[in-house]
Amino acid sequence: MISGVTPPDVLVVGASVAGLSTVEALRRKGYEGKVTVLGDEPHAPYDRPPLSKQVLSGAWEPERARLRRHDALSALAADFVLGDAATALDVGADQGSAIVHTAAGRTWSAGAVVVATGARPRPLPGMPGMPGMPGLAGVHLLRTLDDAIALRANLLTASRLVVVGDGVLGAEVAATATSMGLAVTLTGPQRLPMAGQLGTLVAARLAALHTARGVNLRLGEAVDGLVGERGTVTGVRLGGGEVIAADVVVAIGAIPHTSWLESSGLRLDDGLVCDEHCRAADRVYAVGDVARWRHEALGLSRLENRTNATEQARVVAAGIMGEQLRYAPVPYFWTDQFDVKIQVHGTLAARAEVTIVDGEIGEGRFVARYERDGAVTGVLGWNMPKQTRLRRQEILDSLTPAPGTSHREKT
Amino acid sequence: MNVAVDEDKCCGAGSCVLVAPEVFDQRDEDGIVLLLDPSPPEPRYAAVREAADICPASAITLHENP
């Protein structure tokens, strides 16, 4: 049942960009009720994309990754409760409220709860916190600001880094650490870095870039475990048995942080499952990395990217205020590695037809268009951000049938 | 309202241009934000506030005098 009444108060669980953006969108829309933001980290909201780049390299002081100035946060008139993690959600509470319990033993009730708890890093066998294995020094995860600061400190006194994870974050860390002067090996199960996100053509270009800059690519073989001596990591072992020596290992990989929702009765399946309005249940919404919602064109989707957090927040804020919008974005992400800026709008379907529509691959500046069955699914830019954005409309045009036609007429 | 952009933070997404094209553009060569109007008129405030909020690099800062 959907109540059409705007709730008197909203509790946002998660104080990163998705949670903050939801509060901002609520206030932009004129919501005047009480807003509380619960965050498990002690820090005011900060931005994650710089962690693998500017914060890790030391180009920025960590302070610069803060998402908003103090006065801008104050202007939101929201109560930020930091350093306390949510442990349970009770949606069946009476009187139109949901209740959230926290690690510190507090309970919060609100007319609407926004789940914005993001993702949690996936530890490797042999890492601290893994059952039956002692933790090894020199092994890191990278998700939080504190993680980035600790990894940077370790890199400053190390010479050999192994990155476990061949997606965007792993490739960025490999590039950053190489630029810091370390000998870096990038490992992961894919044959090419970011193959799943970029497709073979561009992933091969990226592999060539990394190789040219000195990154050792040991891809196509998953990491089997860590090797250590006297409590310190000395390498990683690949599935085939080969050991790659390392003073520092960073494991990349994240899973949606939904463990605190296990007793809620809500559907958890690679995230908190929601309808097309990003609603998981009456009074409960999800936003950001943790949300798996029904995209009307793409089906159940979960996007772990920075832009999704803000765009989805607008839909969630509208829903809280009684306006049911369908969330069907054109996905977007970017990555900066060495001196290359890659921008991706839409989806780069596997087996898509790829056409270079601007610039030239050999020139180190190009735009590629991805098509499937005659429809543009995505565009990718390599050092051509503006020209790539200008083609975003082609994706929208493909998603929206021309007036007077229906999908059925397209044969 | 006064608008400031941080070119060093900008990632070239162009979300600001999609929301407030009268106030923001991008450089052709590297996609970095171009501020067309640092003191936009009141009818554009809502779009500029949204652009600042949704900027994926938090590169837009607003100074509003109540």
Short mmCIF file of all heavy atoms in Angstrom, two decimals, chain A residues 9-27 31 33-46 48 67-68 72-86 100 102 106 108-110 112-118 260 287 320:
data_model
loop_
_atom_site.label_atom_id
_atom_site.label_comp_id
_atom_site.label_asym_id
_atom_site.label_seq_id
_atom_site.Cartn_x
_atom_site.Cartn_y
_atom_site.Cartn_z
N ASP A 9 9.00 12.99 8.93
CA ASP A 9 10.45 12.91 9.16
C ASP A 9 11.05 11.81 8.29
O ASP A 9 10.38 10.85 7.91
CB ASP A 9 10.79 12.67 10.63
CG ASP A 9 9.90 11.63 11.27
OD1 ASP A 9 9.27 10.86 10.52
OD2 ASP A 9 9.83 11.56 12.49
N VAL A 10 12.33 12.00 7.96
CA VAL A 10 13.04 11.07 7.09
C VAL A 10 14.35 10.69 7.76
O VAL A 10 15.07 11.56 8.28
CB VAL A 10 13.34 11.70 5.71
CG1 VAL A 10 14.16 10.75 4.85
CG2 VAL A 10 12.05 12.08 4.99
N LEU A 11 14.63 9.40 7.76
CA LEU A 11 15.92 8.91 8.27
C LEU A 11 16.70 8.36 7.09
O LEU A 11 16.23 7.45 6.39
CB LEU A 11 15.71 7.81 9.32
CG LEU A 11 16.98 7.13 9.82
CD1 LEU A 11 17.88 8.11 10.57
CD2 LEU A 11 16.63 5.95 10.73
N VAL A 12 17.89 8.91 6.88
CA VAL A 12 18.76 8.45 5.80
C VAL A 12 19.88 7.63 6.44
O VAL A 12 20.60 8.15 7.31
CB VAL A 12 19.35 9.64 5.02
CG1 VAL A 12 20.29 9.13 3.92
CG2 VAL A 12 18.24 10.49 4.43
N VAL A 13 20.00 6.37 6.06
CA VAL A 13 21.02 5.50 6.65
C VAL A 13 22.19 5.43 5.67
O VAL A 13 22.11 4.76 4.63
CB VAL A 13 20.47 4.10 6.96
CG1 VAL A 13 21.54 3.28 7.68
CG2 VAL A 13 19.21 4.20 7.80
N GLY A 14 23.24 6.15 5.98
CA GLY A 14 24.40 6.24 5.09
C GLY A 14 24.70 7.70 4.83
O GLY A 14 23.84 8.46 4.38
N ALA A 15 25.93 8.10 5.13
CA ALA A 15 26.29 9.53 5.05
C ALA A 15 27.32 9.78 3.96
O ALA A 15 28.12 10.71 4.06
CB ALA A 15 26.81 10.01 6.40
N SER A 16 27.29 8.94 2.92
CA SER A 16 28.17 9.22 1.80
C SER A 16 27.36 9.97 0.73
O SER A 16 26.33 10.57 1.03
CB SER A 16 28.76 7.91 1.27
OG SER A 16 29.81 8.19 0.35
N VAL A 17 27.82 9.92 -0.50
CA VAL A 17 27.23 10.82 -1.50
C VAL A 17 25.76 10.51 -1.78
O VAL A 17 24.96 11.43 -1.99
CB VAL A 17 28.07 10.85 -2.78
CG1 VAL A 17 28.08 9.50 -3.48
CG2 VAL A 17 27.57 11.91 -3.73
N ALA A 18 25.36 9.24 -1.76
CA ALA A 18 23.97 8.92 -2.06
C ALA A 18 23.05 9.44 -0.96
O ALA A 18 22.00 10.02 -1.25
CB ALA A 18 23.80 7.41 -2.22
N GLY A 19 23.45 9.27 0.29
CA GLY A 19 22.66 9.78 1.40
C GLY A 19 22.59 11.29 1.39
O GLY A 19 21.52 11.89 1.50
N LEU A 20 23.75 11.92 1.25
CA LEU A 20 23.80 13.38 1.23
C LEU A 20 22.97 13.94 0.07
O LEU A 20 22.21 14.90 0.24
CB LEU A 20 25.25 13.85 1.10
CG LEU A 20 25.43 15.37 0.95
CD1 LEU A 20 25.07 16.10 2.23
CD2 LEU A 20 26.85 15.71 0.52
N SER A 21 23.09 13.33 -1.11
CA SER A 21 22.36 13.82 -2.28
C SER A 21 20.86 13.71 -2.08
O SER A 21 20.10 14.54 -2.58
CB SER A 21 22.77 13.03 -3.53
OG SER A 21 24.12 13.23 -3.82
N THR A 22 20.42 12.68 -1.36
CA THR A 22 18.99 12.53 -1.08
C THR A 22 18.50 13.68 -0.21
O THR A 22 17.44 14.26 -0.47
CB THR A 22 18.71 11.18 -0.40
OG1 THR A 22 19.26 10.13 -1.22
CG2 THR A 22 17.23 10.95 -0.21
N VAL A 23 19.30 14.03 0.80
CA VAL A 23 18.93 15.16 1.66
C VAL A 23 18.88 16.45 0.84
O VAL A 23 17.93 17.24 0.93
CB VAL A 23 19.93 15.32 2.82
CG1 VAL A 23 19.55 16.50 3.70
CG2 VAL A 23 20.00 14.04 3.65
N GLU A 24 19.88 16.65 0.00
CA GLU A 24 19.91 17.87 -0.82
C GLU A 24 18.71 17.92 -1.76
O GLU A 24 18.10 18.98 -1.92
CB GLU A 24 21.21 17.94 -1.62
CG GLU A 24 22.42 18.22 -0.74
CD GLU A 24 23.73 18.29 -1.52
OE1 GLU A 24 23.82 17.67 -2.60
OE2 GLU A 24 24.66 18.97 -1.05
N ALA A 25 18.37 16.80 -2.35
CA ALA A 25 17.23 16.77 -3.28
C ALA A 25 15.92 17.04 -2.53
O ALA A 25 15.05 17.76 -3.03
CB ALA A 25 17.17 15.43 -4.00
N LEU A 26 15.80 16.49 -1.32
CA LEU A 26 14.60 16.76 -0.52
C LEU A 26 14.47 18.25 -0.24
O LEU A 26 13.40 18.85 -0.42
CB LEU A 26 14.66 15.99 0.81
CG LEU A 26 14.29 14.51 0.77
CD1 LEU A 26 14.73 13.82 2.06
CD2 LEU A 26 12.79 14.32 0.54
N ARG A 27 15.56 18.87 0.18
CA ARG A 27 15.49 20.31 0.51
C ARG A 27 15.28 21.15 -0.74
O ARG A 27 14.55 22.15 -0.70
CB ARG A 27 16.78 20.75 1.24
CG ARG A 27 16.99 20.11 2.62
CD ARG A 27 15.82 20.38 3.55
NE ARG A 27 16.13 19.99 4.94
CZ ARG A 27 15.24 19.56 5.82
NH1 ARG A 27 13.97 19.44 5.46
NH2 ARG A 27 15.59 19.26 7.06
N TYR A 31 11.14 20.13 0.89
CA TYR A 31 10.76 19.32 2.05
C TYR A 31 11.17 20.03 3.34
O TYR A 31 12.33 20.44 3.49
CB TYR A 31 11.40 17.94 1.97
CG TYR A 31 11.03 17.04 3.14
CD1 TYR A 31 9.76 16.48 3.21
CD2 TYR A 31 11.95 16.76 4.14
CE1 TYR A 31 9.41 15.66 4.27
CE2 TYR A 31 11.60 15.94 5.20
CZ TYR A 31 10.33 15.40 5.27
OH TYR A 31 9.97 14.59 6.32
N GLY A 33 10.34 18.77 6.59
CA GLY A 33 10.32 17.90 7.76
C GLY A 33 11.71 17.68 8.34
O GLY A 33 12.71 18.17 7.83
N LYS A 34 11.72 16.92 9.43
CA LYS A 34 12.99 16.63 10.10
C LYS A 34 13.77 15.58 9.29
O LYS A 34 13.19 14.59 8.85
CB LYS A 34 12.66 16.08 11.50
CG LYS A 34 13.85 15.69 12.35
CD LYS A 34 13.34 15.34 13.74
CE LYS A 34 14.29 14.45 14.53
NZ LYS A 34 15.66 14.92 14.64
N VAL A 35 15.05 15.81 9.14
CA VAL A 35 15.89 14.86 8.42
C VAL A 35 17.08 14.48 9.30
O VAL A 35 17.78 15.34 9.82
CB VAL A 35 16.41 15.45 7.09
CG1 VAL A 35 17.36 14.46 6.40
CG2 VAL A 35 15.26 15.81 6.16
N THR A 36 17.26 13.17 9.47
CA THR A 36 18.41 12.66 10.22
C THR A 36 19.24 11.79 9.29
O THR A 36 18.69 11.00 8.51
CB THR A 36 17.94 11.82 11.43
OG1 THR A 36 17.06 12.60 12.21
CG2 THR A 36 19.12 11.37 12.28
N VAL A 37 20.56 11.96 9.35
CA VAL A 37 21.47 11.16 8.53
C VAL A 37 22.36 10.36 9.47
O VAL A 37 23.06 10.95 10.31
CB VAL A 37 22.34 12.04 7.61
CG1 VAL A 37 23.24 11.16 6.74
CG2 VAL A 37 21.47 12.94 6.75
N LEU A 38 22.31 9.05 9.32
CA LEU A 38 23.10 8.17 10.18
C LEU A 38 24.28 7.64 9.37
O LEU A 38 24.09 7.09 8.28
CB LEU A 38 22.20 7.01 10.62
CG LEU A 38 22.69 6.02 11.65
CD1 LEU A 38 22.93 6.70 12.98
CD2 LEU A 38 21.62 4.93 11.82
N GLY A 39 25.50 7.82 9.89
CA GLY A 39 26.67 7.35 9.16
C GLY A 39 27.57 6.51 10.05
O GLY A 39 27.76 6.83 11.22
N ASP A 40 28.12 5.42 9.49
CA ASP A 40 28.97 4.56 10.34
C ASP A 40 30.39 5.10 10.48
O ASP A 40 31.09 4.76 11.42
CB ASP A 40 28.98 3.11 9.82
CG ASP A 40 29.53 2.97 8.42
OD1 ASP A 40 29.71 4.00 7.73
OD2 ASP A 40 29.81 1.83 8.00
N GLU A 41 30.82 5.93 9.54
CA GLU A 41 32.17 6.50 9.65
C GLU A 41 32.12 7.80 10.44
O GLU A 41 31.09 8.48 10.47
CB GLU A 41 32.73 6.77 8.24
CG GLU A 41 33.04 5.51 7.46
CD GLU A 41 33.66 5.86 6.11
OE1 GLU A 41 34.76 6.43 6.09
OE2 GLU A 41 33.02 5.59 5.08
N PRO A 42 33.26 8.16 11.06
CA PRO A 42 33.25 9.39 11.86
C PRO A 42 33.32 10.68 11.03
O PRO A 42 33.11 11.76 11.54
CB PRO A 42 34.52 9.25 12.73
CG PRO A 42 35.42 8.37 11.93
CD PRO A 42 34.52 7.43 11.18
N HIS A 43 33.62 10.53 9.72
CA HIS A 43 33.87 11.71 8.90
C HIS A 43 32.59 12.34 8.36
O HIS A 43 31.62 11.64 8.09
CB HIS A 43 34.74 11.33 7.69
CG HIS A 43 36.01 10.64 8.07
ND1 HIS A 43 37.06 11.30 8.67
CD2 HIS A 43 36.39 9.35 7.94
CE1 HIS A 43 38.04 10.43 8.88
NE2 HIS A 43 37.66 9.24 8.46
N ALA A 44 32.63 13.64 8.17
CA ALA A 44 31.57 14.31 7.42
C ALA A 44 31.62 13.76 5.99
O ALA A 44 32.64 13.22 5.57
CB ALA A 44 31.81 15.82 7.44
N PRO A 45 30.51 13.88 5.26
CA PRO A 45 30.46 13.26 3.92
C PRO A 45 31.63 13.65 3.03
O PRO A 45 31.97 14.83 2.91
CB PRO A 45 29.14 13.80 3.35
CG PRO A 45 28.30 14.09 4.53
CD PRO A 45 29.25 14.54 5.61
N TYR A 46 32.25 12.65 2.45
CA TYR A 46 33.38 12.89 1.56
C TYR A 46 33.16 12.11 0.28
O TYR A 46 32.28 11.26 0.18
CB TYR A 46 34.71 12.52 2.23
CG TYR A 46 34.85 11.06 2.58
CD1 TYR A 46 35.31 10.14 1.64
CD2 TYR A 46 34.51 10.59 3.85
CE1 TYR A 46 35.42 8.79 1.96
CE2 TYR A 46 34.62 9.25 4.18
CZ TYR A 46 35.07 8.35 3.23
OH TYR A 46 35.18 7.02 3.53
N ARG A 48 34.31 9.60 -2.83
CA ARG A 48 35.18 8.43 -2.99
C ARG A 48 36.06 8.42 -4.25
O ARG A 48 37.18 7.89 -4.19
CB ARG A 48 34.36 7.14 -2.93
CG ARG A 48 33.81 6.89 -1.53
CD ARG A 48 33.12 5.56 -1.39
NE ARG A 48 32.19 5.63 -0.27
CZ ARG A 48 32.54 5.51 1.01
NH1 ARG A 48 33.79 5.29 1.34
NH2 ARG A 48 31.64 5.61 1.96
N LEU A 67 32.81 16.50 0.63
CA LEU A 67 31.82 16.78 -0.40
C LEU A 67 31.27 18.20 -0.32
O LEU A 67 30.95 18.80 -1.34
CB LEU A 67 30.66 15.79 -0.29
CG LEU A 67 30.90 14.45 -0.99
CD1 LEU A 67 29.91 13.40 -0.51
CD2 LEU A 67 30.80 14.62 -2.50
N ARG A 68 31.12 18.72 0.87
CA ARG A 68 30.51 20.05 1.01
C ARG A 68 31.22 20.85 2.08
O ARG A 68 31.70 20.28 3.07
CB ARG A 68 29.03 19.91 1.42
CG ARG A 68 28.16 19.19 0.41
CD ARG A 68 27.96 19.99 -0.87
NE ARG A 68 27.10 19.26 -1.81
CZ ARG A 68 27.57 18.57 -2.85
NH1 ARG A 68 28.87 18.49 -3.09
NH2 ARG A 68 26.73 17.96 -3.66
N ALA A 72 27.50 24.80 3.80
CA ALA A 72 26.53 24.16 2.90
C ALA A 72 25.83 23.00 3.62
O ALA A 72 24.63 22.77 3.44
CB ALA A 72 27.22 23.66 1.63
N LEU A 73 26.58 22.27 4.45
CA LEU A 73 25.98 21.18 5.23
C LEU A 73 25.00 21.75 6.25
O LEU A 73 23.89 21.24 6.42
CB LEU A 73 27.05 20.37 5.95
CG LEU A 73 27.82 19.31 5.17
CD1 LEU A 73 28.73 18.55 6.12
CD2 LEU A 73 26.90 18.34 4.45
N SER A 74 25.41 22.82 6.91
CA SER A 74 24.53 23.44 7.91
C SER A 74 23.23 23.90 7.29
O SER A 74 22.16 23.80 7.90
CB SER A 74 25.22 24.64 8.57
OG SER A 74 26.40 24.24 9.21
N ALA A 75 23.33 24.43 6.07
CA ALA A 75 22.14 24.97 5.40
C ALA A 75 21.10 23.89 5.13
O ALA A 75 19.93 24.21 4.91
CB ALA A 75 22.54 25.65 4.09
N LEU A 76 21.50 22.63 5.16
CA LEU A 76 20.54 21.54 4.92
C LEU A 76 19.64 21.30 6.14
O LEU A 76 18.63 20.59 6.02
CB LEU A 76 21.28 20.24 4.58
CG LEU A 76 22.01 20.23 3.23
CD1 LEU A 76 22.86 18.97 3.11
CD2 LEU A 76 21.00 20.30 2.09
N ALA A 77 20.02 21.85 7.29
CA ALA A 77 19.23 21.66 8.51
C ALA A 77 18.92 20.18 8.74
O ALA A 77 17.78 19.81 9.04
CB ALA A 77 17.94 22.48 8.44
N ALA A 78 19.93 19.37 8.58
CA ALA A 78 19.77 17.94 8.85
C ALA A 78 20.66 17.58 10.03
O ALA A 78 21.69 18.22 10.27
CB ALA A 78 20.17 17.11 7.62
N ASP A 79 20.24 16.56 10.75
CA ASP A 79 21.00 16.12 11.91
C ASP A 79 21.91 14.97 11.48
O ASP A 79 21.43 13.89 11.14
CB ASP A 79 20.00 15.66 12.99
CG ASP A 79 20.68 15.46 14.33
OD1 ASP A 79 21.87 15.82 14.46
OD2 ASP A 79 20.01 14.93 15.24
N PHE A 80 23.21 15.21 11.43
CA PHE A 80 24.15 14.16 11.05
C PHE A 80 24.62 13.43 12.30
O PHE A 80 25.24 14.02 13.17
CB PHE A 80 25.36 14.76 10.30
CG PHE A 80 25.05 15.14 8.88
CD1 PHE A 80 24.47 16.37 8.59
CD2 PHE A 80 25.32 14.26 7.84
CE1 PHE A 80 24.17 16.71 7.27
CE2 PHE A 80 25.02 14.59 6.53
CZ PHE A 80 24.45 15.83 6.24
N VAL A 81 24.31 12.15 12.36
CA VAL A 81 24.73 11.32 13.49
C VAL A 81 25.81 10.38 12.95
O VAL A 81 25.51 9.42 12.24
CB VAL A 81 23.54 10.51 14.05
CG1 VAL A 81 23.99 9.67 15.23
CG2 VAL A 81 22.41 11.45 14.45
N LEU A 82 27.07 10.68 13.27
CA LEU A 82 28.17 9.97 12.64
C LEU A 82 28.85 9.02 13.62
O LEU A 82 28.77 9.18 14.84
CB LEU A 82 29.18 10.97 12.08
CG LEU A 82 28.58 11.96 11.06
CD1 LEU A 82 29.60 13.02 10.66
CD2 LEU A 82 28.06 11.22 9.83
N GLY A 83 29.52 8.00 13.06
CA GLY A 83 30.27 7.07 13.89
C GLY A 83 29.41 6.01 14.56
O GLY A 83 29.81 5.40 15.53
N ASP A 84 28.21 5.79 14.04
CA ASP A 84 27.33 4.77 14.61
C ASP A 84 26.66 4.03 13.44
O ASP A 84 26.04 4.67 12.59
CB ASP A 84 26.29 5.42 15.52
CG ASP A 84 25.49 4.39 16.32
OD1 ASP A 84 25.87 3.19 16.30
OD2 ASP A 84 24.49 4.78 16.96
N ALA A 85 26.82 2.72 13.40
CA ALA A 85 26.33 1.95 12.27
C ALA A 85 24.93 1.40 12.54
O ALA A 85 24.62 0.99 13.66
CB ALA A 85 27.28 0.78 11.98
N ALA A 86 24.11 1.38 11.51
CA ALA A 86 22.80 0.74 11.61
C ALA A 86 22.99 -0.77 11.68
O ALA A 86 23.85 -1.32 10.99
CB ALA A 86 21.94 1.10 10.40
N VAL A 100 14.98 1.95 12.97
CA VAL A 100 16.34 1.51 12.72
C VAL A 100 17.08 1.41 14.05
O VAL A 100 17.01 2.32 14.88
CB VAL A 100 17.08 2.49 11.77
CG1 VAL A 100 18.58 2.18 11.73
CG2 VAL A 100 16.48 2.41 10.36
N THR A 102 20.83 0.75 16.04
CA THR A 102 22.24 1.01 15.74
C THR A 102 23.16 0.23 16.67
O THR A 102 22.74 -0.29 17.71
CB THR A 102 22.59 2.51 15.90
OG1 THR A 102 22.66 2.82 17.30
CG2 THR A 102 21.56 3.38 15.22
N ARG A 106 21.13 2.63 20.00
CA ARG A 106 20.09 3.62 19.82
C ARG A 106 19.01 3.10 18.86
O ARG A 106 19.27 2.20 18.07
CB ARG A 106 20.67 4.92 19.26
CG ARG A 106 21.48 5.67 20.30
CD ARG A 106 21.98 6.99 19.77
NE ARG A 106 23.19 6.82 18.98
CZ ARG A 106 24.05 7.82 18.73
NH1 ARG A 106 23.81 9.03 19.21
NH2 ARG A 106 25.12 7.61 18.01
N TRP A 108 16.07 4.70 16.08
CA TRP A 108 15.52 5.87 15.40
C TRP A 108 14.27 5.44 14.69
O TRP A 108 14.25 4.40 14.04
CB TRP A 108 16.52 6.38 14.34
CG TRP A 108 17.84 6.78 14.91
CD1 TRP A 108 18.93 5.97 15.10
CD2 TRP A 108 18.23 8.08 15.36
NE1 TRP A 108 19.96 6.69 15.64
CE2 TRP A 108 19.56 7.99 15.81
CE3 TRP A 108 17.57 9.32 15.42
CZ2 TRP A 108 20.26 9.08 16.32
CZ3 TRP A 108 18.26 10.41 15.92
CH2 TRP A 108 19.58 10.29 16.38
N SER A 109 13.23 6.24 14.76
CA SER A 109 12.05 5.92 13.96
C SER A 109 11.76 7.10 13.04
O SER A 109 12.06 8.24 13.37
CB SER A 109 10.85 5.64 14.86
OG SER A 109 10.36 6.84 15.40
N ALA A 110 11.22 6.79 11.87
CA ALA A 110 10.93 7.84 10.90
C ALA A 110 9.84 7.39 9.97
O ALA A 110 9.62 6.19 9.76
CB ALA A 110 12.19 8.20 10.12
N ALA A 112 9.85 7.79 6.82
CA ALA A 112 10.48 7.21 5.62
C ALA A 112 11.94 6.92 5.95
O ALA A 112 12.59 7.72 6.61
CB ALA A 112 10.38 8.16 4.43
N VAL A 113 12.40 5.77 5.51
CA VAL A 113 13.81 5.39 5.70
C VAL A 113 14.45 5.24 4.32
O VAL A 113 13.88 4.59 3.43
CB VAL A 113 13.94 4.08 6.50
CG1 VAL A 113 15.38 3.57 6.48
CG2 VAL A 113 13.49 4.29 7.94
N VAL A 114 15.59 5.87 4.16
CA VAL A 114 16.35 5.76 2.92
C VAL A 114 17.60 4.92 3.19
O VAL A 114 18.42 5.30 4.03
CB VAL A 114 16.74 7.15 2.37
CG1 VAL A 114 17.57 7.00 1.09
CG2 VAL A 114 15.51 8.00 2.14
N VAL A 115 17.69 3.79 2.52
CA VAL A 115 18.86 2.91 2.68
C VAL A 115 19.93 3.37 1.71
O VAL A 115 19.76 3.30 0.48
CB VAL A 115 18.47 1.44 2.41
CG1 VAL A 115 19.71 0.55 2.45
CG2 VAL A 115 17.44 0.98 3.44
N ALA A 116 21.03 3.87 2.25
CA ALA A 116 22.12 4.42 1.44
C ALA A 116 23.46 3.94 2.00
O ALA A 116 24.40 4.72 2.14
CB ALA A 116 22.06 5.95 1.43
N THR A 117 23.50 2.64 2.31
CA THR A 117 24.68 2.11 3.02
C THR A 117 25.78 1.63 2.08
O THR A 117 26.78 1.08 2.54
CB THR A 117 24.27 0.96 3.97
OG1 THR A 117 23.32 0.11 3.33
CG2 THR A 117 23.66 1.51 5.24
N GLY A 118 25.61 1.85 0.78
CA GLY A 118 26.73 1.64 -0.14
C GLY A 118 27.19 0.20 -0.25
O GLY A 118 26.41 -0.74 -0.20
N TRP A 260 23.00 -5.68 7.42
CA TRP A 260 22.20 -5.14 8.53
C TRP A 260 20.69 -5.24 8.25
O TRP A 260 19.88 -5.02 9.14
CB TRP A 260 22.59 -3.69 8.82
CG TRP A 260 22.26 -2.71 7.72
CD1 TRP A 260 22.92 -2.55 6.54
CD2 TRP A 260 21.17 -1.78 7.72
NE1 TRP A 260 22.31 -1.56 5.81
CE2 TRP A 260 21.24 -1.07 6.50
CE3 TRP A 260 20.15 -1.46 8.62
CZ2 TRP A 260 20.34 -0.07 6.16
CZ3 TRP A 260 19.24 -0.46 8.28
CH2 TRP A 260 19.34 0.23 7.06
N VAL A 287 19.09 3.89 -2.35
CA VAL A 287 19.77 4.80 -3.27
C VAL A 287 21.27 4.49 -3.27
O VAL A 287 21.84 4.11 -2.25
CB VAL A 287 19.50 6.27 -2.84
CG1 VAL A 287 20.05 6.56 -1.45
CG2 VAL A 287 20.08 7.27 -3.85
N ILE A 320 9.47 10.17 -1.83
CA ILE A 320 9.15 10.48 -0.44
C ILE A 320 8.08 11.57 -0.37
O ILE A 320 7.21 11.57 0.48
CB ILE A 320 10.42 10.90 0.32
CG1 ILE A 320 11.34 9.68 0.51
CG2 ILE A 320 10.08 11.53 1.68
CD1 ILE A 320 12.71 10.01 1.04
#
